[in-house]
Amino acid sequence: MPSARRLVAATLAAGLLLATAACAAEEPAGPAVKTPRPTETALPAPPQPVLAPLRGTIAPEGAMKRPALAAKIDNHEGARPQLGLERTDIVFEELVEGGLTRYVAIWHSDLPDEVGPVRSVRPMDPDIVTPFGGIIAYSGGQEVFVDMMMNTPVVNAVFDFDDTGLFYRDDVHESPHDVIVRATELVGRHTELPAPPAQFEYAEASAVPTSVTEGPGHSALQLRFSDSRWPSWVWDAAGGGWLRSQEGEPDLDAAGAQLRASNVVTLLVEIDEDTFPDIPRTLMIGAGEAWVSSGGSTVHGIWRKDSPAGSIRLVSDLGTPILLAPGNTWVELVPSSGSVEIIP
C-alpha cells in the first residue's frame, strides 16, 4: 500500500492539473495577431516649371498664380533712388507735364515688400495697365483721371482714399515724393485675382532674340523725351544686360547698383496736347515705329495696340514677330517730338 505521504502528493498534483485546466477553459482565446503592412503614402507631385508671363523665364508653377501689381512711380530728382524698380518685370516711361517723365512699373514674378515713391495717375495710364489686370497703386490725381482709372477692370489702391495702412510717407524723401505702398500686403489682399497674360513674345532658352538674328550690334541707345529728360542705355556684355543712365548720370537703385534691363523696347508715340490743358497724353491706341534692343543688338520695326485691353504687338521690318530675350523689359514711350539714336 502506498504511504500516506505519497497519496497526499498525488492528490495535490491531480488538483493542480484540474484547476489549471479549468482556468484555461474559462479564458477565451484572443484574436490572431496580424503584422500590419506598411502603407504607401503618395507624395505630392513637385511643382512643374512654367514660363513667367511678363518675363519669359522659367519659374515654379505656384509662384506665378498671384496677380500683377502696377504702380505709378515718381521720377522726379527728389524721388530718386526709387524702391523696387530693380525687381520689376516691365517698366513704362512716359512724358508728363514740364518735360519730366514718370513710370508705370509692373511687378509679378518678383514682388518687393515695398515700392515707391508713388504719384498720381495721368490720362494714358488706363490704356497701359488694363492689359495686365490685377492691381494699380497710385497717390491720386485729377478727378477725371482717377475716374478713368476707376472705370478699368483693374483694382485701384489709392493713397488719398486709403485708411487701412497700405500706404505711408517715408523719412528718406521729401514730400510729395515720399509715398510708399506696402506691395506684398496689397497683393496678399487680392489673391482671388488671376495672373496676368503674357504681353510680349520671348525667344526660348535655346534660341536667340530677334534683335540678334535681324539687327546689327551696337553699344548704346540715346533717347530724348524733352530738354529735361534724356535717358540712355549702354550694353554691358559681361553682365548680359543694358545699363540705364539719366541725363548723363548712372540711374541707381536704393542699394546703389545701376538699373539694368534684358530688353529695351523703344516706341515712337504721338502726344495729345489739346484734350487736357497742360497735361500731355501719350496715345497708346495706334501704331508707330519701334526699336527693340536685346543681346547687344537692335531690330527696327513697328508697334501696334488696337484697344485699351489689347497688348502691344511688335513686328520687324521683315514682317516677323519680334521675340524678346527672357528677362525684364523697359518700354520707352518716346514722343515723336523727341529723338532715338542708335550708337554703334
Side-chain angles (χ1 to χ4, degrees):
M1 289 183 66
S3 66
R5 183 177 292 178
R6 290 177 63 188
L7 280 173
V8 170
T11 302
L12 288 173
L16 286 172
L17 287 172
L18 288 172
T20 302
C23 289
E26 291 175 2
E27 294 180 2
V33 177
K34 295 182 178 180
T35 303
R37 283 186 172 185
T39 57
E40 295 182 1
T41 303
L43 297 176
Q48 296 301 307
V50 296
L51 284 180
L54 305 185
R55 281 182 174 246
T57 52
I58 300 296
E61 182 181 20
M64 296 296 100
K65 292 183 178 180
R66 63 187 171 213
L69 170 65
K72 192 63 184 289
I73 300 297
D74 199 351
N75 190 32
H76 188 277
E77 285 82 354
R80 303 172 188 169
Q82 297 90 344
L83 297 179
L85 283 182
E86 73 281 1
R87 295 171 64 178
T88 52
D89 288 34
I90 300 175
V91 178
F92 294 83
E93 184 172 16
E94 62 186 20
L95 181 70
V96 295
E97 59 273 19
L100 303 182
T101 63
R102 287 187 184 172
Y103 304 132
V104 176
I106 317 290
W107 291 266
H108 179 241
S109 59
D110 184 12
L111 183 63
D113 287 339
E114 300 177 333
V115 302
V118 298
R119 291 299 300 273
S120 53
V121 288
R122 293 297 183 268
M124 53 279 193
D125 296 336
D127 291 341
I128 293 175
V129 304
T130 295
F132 295 90
I135 310 160
I136 172 71
Y138 56 99
S139 64
Q142 292 188 23
E143 183 177 359
V144 62
F145 304 151
V146 173
D147 288 345
M148 291 167 64
M149 186 62 77
M150 290 284 188
N151 286 329
T152 70
V154 180
V155 172
N156 284 228
V158 189
F159 170 65
D160 292 357
F161 308 146
D162 176 60
D163 58 2
T164 65
L166 279 174
F167 297 83
Y168 71 94
R169 292 187 182 274
D170 72 9
D171 55 4
V172 177
H173 307 84
E174 293 185 1
S175 183
H177 317 290
D178 58 349
V179 178
I180 308 299
V181 60
R182 295 181 170 92
T184 301
E185 182 179 347
L186 174 54
V187 172
R189 295 186 185 185
H190 298 282
T191 56
E192 78 285 356
L193 297 175
Q199 299 297 304
F200 298 113
E201 297 182 65
Y202 297 89
E204 296 180 358
S206 59
V208 293
T210 304
S211 60
V212 174
T213 60
E214 296 186 19
H218 66 92
S219 61
L221 298 167
Q222 181 68 58
L223 313 175
R224 182 170 289 273
F225 282 75
S226 69
D227 290 341
S228 301
R229 288 290 179 266
W230 59 93
S232 61
W233 296 87
V234 174
W235 176 245
D236 173 26
W242 299 95
L243 297 176
R244 178 177 167 85
S245 295
Q246 294 199 82
E247 293 72 71
E249 298 293 332
D251 194 5
L252 306 179
D253 64 20
Q258 193 167 3
L259 293 171
R260 62 173 51 240
S262 298
N263 307 285
V264 181
V265 176
T266 304
L267 309 183
L268 203 62
V269 297
E270 297 299 326
I271 304 294
D272 172 10
E273 298 181 349
D274 300 323
T275 303
F276 304 103
D278 302 320
I279 304 293
R281 179 186 185 183
T282 299
L283 298 179
M284 293 300 302
I285 311 303
E289 277 190 278
W291 294 261
V292 178
S293 304
S294 309
S297 299
T298 294
V299 60
H300 181 267
I302 62 170
W303 68 270
R304 177 176 297 279
K305 180 174 163 64
D306 295 328
S307 68
S311 58
I312 296 168
R313 299 303 179 196
L314 301 167
V315 178
S316 76
D317 292 339
L318 298 181
T320 60
I322 296 178
L323 305 180
L324 277 61
N328 70 316
T329 300
W330 279 63
V331 181
E332 301 282 13
L333 302 174
V334 178
S336 58
S337 58
S339 62
V340 178
E341 183 181 1
I342 308 299
I343 301 172

